[in-house]
Amino acid sequence: METTLKKQGMYENVMRQFNRAADTLKLDEGIRKILASTNSEIVVHFPVKMDDGRIEVFNGYRVQHNNALGPYKGGLRFHPTVDIDAARALAIWMTWKTALAGLPYGGGKGGVSIDPSKYSLAELERITRRFTFSLGENIGPDVDIPAPDVNTNPQIMAWIADTFASTKSPSTRMVNMHVVTGKPVGSGGLEGRDRATGFGVVATIKQWAKKENIDLKGKRYIVQGFGNVGYWASHFLSHLGAILIAVQDETGTYYNHEGINPEDLLAYSSKHRGKVAGYGNATEIPAEDFFGLECDILIPAALGSQITLDNVHQIKAQLIAEGANGPTNIDAEEVLLSRGVRIIPDILCNAGGVIGSYFEWLQNKRSENWKIEEVLEKIEDKLALSFQKTIDTADEFQTDWRTGAYMVALKRIEQTYKERGVFP
Ligand code: NAD
């Protein structure tokens, strides 16, 4: 599908968001210069043997934006749109996200430019392991800790952890297994990390509903992307009585006025390589009609730069909860804000994932096993705090919620630099 492959313009978007918030905050000029650039950018080209014996060379990326608050943290994405600009933008968003959530992390992101559906499982394993090997000492449990993102999952995290630990001294094996979060539970993963992002999306929607005195029961919502974030957000929101009326992924757009049962759709997509194409309990509609559907809440949970000046005028929802990173272009956002549409910004809305990752990292460091109920409760508490700080700051500076969220994050990083100074 053309939209999947077109260049996403996310880097320009994140920098414009940053400049807007830095201006409003009157951020220290020196710190602004530091944060406007990335600390390091790693590009690797690595060979992998295919099942038929051919050699293919892949391009992998890891961008480390800033580590003033702690080790770099952020996902690895396997997708054809991964390039240095996408990795930069996504790494920068991670810095703001971890700072806003009050975590002891900086921001990093990366991935491989690849369409994983074209490779066998054995090939994907070799690609993942060789990519990990190529990243070498640039990642590590106290250096830079990757996690799942688009088209990567606990299995891929397990291969990364095993490769990383296997290429280090055997005496450090257990510690080095903690190089990634989002691992399978049997390999040191956290119970509930799988649902943490979608759960967090819904936790922030609940905060919005509480603030606006809105009953979520019966509210109609649409979801773009039915992967990890899209499914779990639908699961939790439908449990609150809201009605999922349309889902779009890269293979199709499905609508049912009476409602789509997320569990039924998951049962279907799980049997069809995770895709919704051909789903029988809803009607297929043209992809371009998706954003214009009559609904209360829109959850983008796929790729960046999906809501643009081309489609923003169709949007009917009163709330956009950004499960995806960077789904709304800044020009389109201005149109939405002028119409009074609320946006829960990505760095707040989808932060449940990295908060869950932080708990996994802590659990690993302490050799503990946390219960899922405890994990979800702690994620909800942290998000409630971030939500409150965001709206308080936005109110104080008479600005939108995204700028408010950025300002909370930037203030925290600015304070650190002011306290520690810049070496030497
Ligand atoms: P995923 O690979 O599990 O799912 C991605 C979904 O997007 C799939 O359903 C796919 O078909 C769909 N998609 C891809 N291209 C599309 C297109 N052009 N139009 C419509 N749908 C399309 O990935 P995920 O982990 O659910 O991540 C989704 C988004 O959430 C990404 O922006 C990611 O950065 C963000 N995010 C993920 C996490 C996490 O913990 N996984 C955390 C924070 C943010």
Side-chain angles (χ1 to χ4, degrees), residues 3 77 149-151 193 197 226-229 249-250 301-302 323-325:
T3 51
R77 180 177 286 201
D149 194 78
V150 175
N151 291 334
R193 175 60 186 88
T197 309
F226 200 69
N228 176 282
V229 181
D249 78 359
E250 63 198 303
N325 285 307

Side-chain angles (χ1 to χ4, degrees), residues 61-97:
Y61 305 85
R62 186 71 183 172
V63 171
Q64 299 170 329
H65 171 235
N66 189 274
N67 61 350
L69 299 175
Y72 303 103
K73 186 88 191 79
L76 287 175
R77 180 177 286 201
F78 283 5
H79 197 271
T81 56
V82 173
D83 62 10
I84 196 69
D85 274 354
R88 265 184 204 134
L90 291 160
I92 297 171
W93 273 312
M94 284 309 300
T95 301
W96 316 144
K97 196 182 299 184

Side-chain angles (χ1 to χ4, degrees), residues 172-336:
T172 60
R173 183 170 173 84
M174 275 331 286
V175 172
N176 281 320
M177 287 290 287
H178 309 155
V179 61
V180 280
T181 55
K183 299 179 287 291
V185 173
S187 300
L190 178 83
E191 290 224 37
R193 175 60 186 88
D194 55 351
R195 64 207 68 188
T197 309
F199 174 81
V201 168
V202 176
T204 63
I205 295 174
K206 277 162 71 182
Q207 291 292 326
W208 164 81
K210 193 167 129 199
K211 182 181 181 310
E212 305 290 338
N213 209 8
I214 285 172
D215 185 0
L216 288 170
K217 195 157 190 245
K219 287 280 170 284
R220 302 166 78 74
Y221 71 99
I222 61 177
V223 176
Q224 186 192 43
F226 200 69
N228 176 282
V229 181
Y231 161 67
W232 282 110
S234 307
H235 167 90
F236 287 108
L237 200 50
S238 287
H239 271 239
L240 296 176
I243 303 164
L244 174 65
I245 56 160
V247 173
Q248 174 173 75
D249 78 359
E250 63 198 303
T251 62
T253 305
Y254 287 81
Y255 171 75
N256 186 337
H257 185 74
E258 303 305 318
I260 295 171
N261 180 336
E263 314 313 321
D264 185 56
L265 182 55
L266 179 74
Y268 176 84
S269 68
S270 304
K271 289 190 204 124
H272 296 85
R273 296 193 63 138
K275 306 298 177 207
V276 302
Y279 181 57
N281 293 332
T283 309
E284 184 165 17
I285 59 169
E288 57 274 20
D289 292 351
F290 176 75
F291 285 114
L293 290 169
E294 214 46 80
C295 65
D296 303 295
I297 302 169
L298 160 62
I299 306 179
L303 302 179
S305 295
Q306 296 298 301
I307 300 170
T308 65
L309 285 179
D310 293 340
N311 57 27
V312 68
H313 294 283
Q314 303 169 18
I315 290 178
K316 309 278 193 309
Q318 61 182 126
L319 176 74
I320 297 177
E322 293 185 336
N325 285 307
T328 314
N329 275 7
I330 201 159
D331 295 320
E333 175 166 27
E334 274 162 27
V335 176
L336 292 165

